[in-house]
Amino acid sequence: TLEGLHDFMIDFVVEHTGYPRDMVDINSEFESELGLDSIKLAQLVGEMRSSFGFELSQDDRRAFLECKTLGQIASHLMTKLPGKGDDAIAYRPEAESN
């Protein structure tokens, strides 16, 4: 679900910035509010590609350059996921620790 993708992204920001989870909003701007540079964003997209199994075209990469928030990237990525429905993605962080 889109919510699962949001959770994945927020967890990434928390892990890489040290911000408390309740301070990270999916609609916060990358650089000005979250302090994420283009290298961290590329790393985030790479981890999402590995975790959720989607491919990116040159057009997708250009579209990401126009995104300013995690939510904008998540909305674009939902169109790339296999199945594209609510069941296309399921992020369960508690399952990773098992």
Side-chain angles (χ1 to χ4, degrees), residues 2 5-14 24-31 33-34 36 40-41 44-45 48 64 67-77:
L2 186 57
L5 190 54
H6 286 177
D7 286 342
F8 182 91
M9 297 173 97
I10 289 171
D11 287 348
F12 177 91
V13 171
V14 167
V24 178
D25 184 87
I26 200 72
N27 295 311
S28 298
E29 291 195 16
F30 303 133
E31 290 186 39
E33 296 178 293
L34 298 175
L36 296 175
K40 285 292 181 201
L41 290 175
L44 169 61
V45 171
M48 289 188 302
F64 287 137
C67 293
K68 302 291 182 204
T69 68
L70 296 173
Q72 290 173 348
I73 284 183
S75 293
H76 183 76
L77 288 178

Side-chain angles (χ1 to χ4, degrees), residues 92-98:
R92 297 177 184 88
E94 66 278 0
E96 292 179 0
S97 61
N98 292 339

Side-chain angles (χ1 to χ4, degrees), residues 41-61:
L41 290 175
Q43 184 179 0
L44 169 61
V45 171
E47 287 187 23
M48 289 188 302
R49 284 180 62 208
S50 296
S51 295
F52 302 118
F54 60 86
E55 295 300 321
L56 297 177
S57 67
Q58 278 297 91
D59 288 339
D60 294 324
R61 290 183 183 97

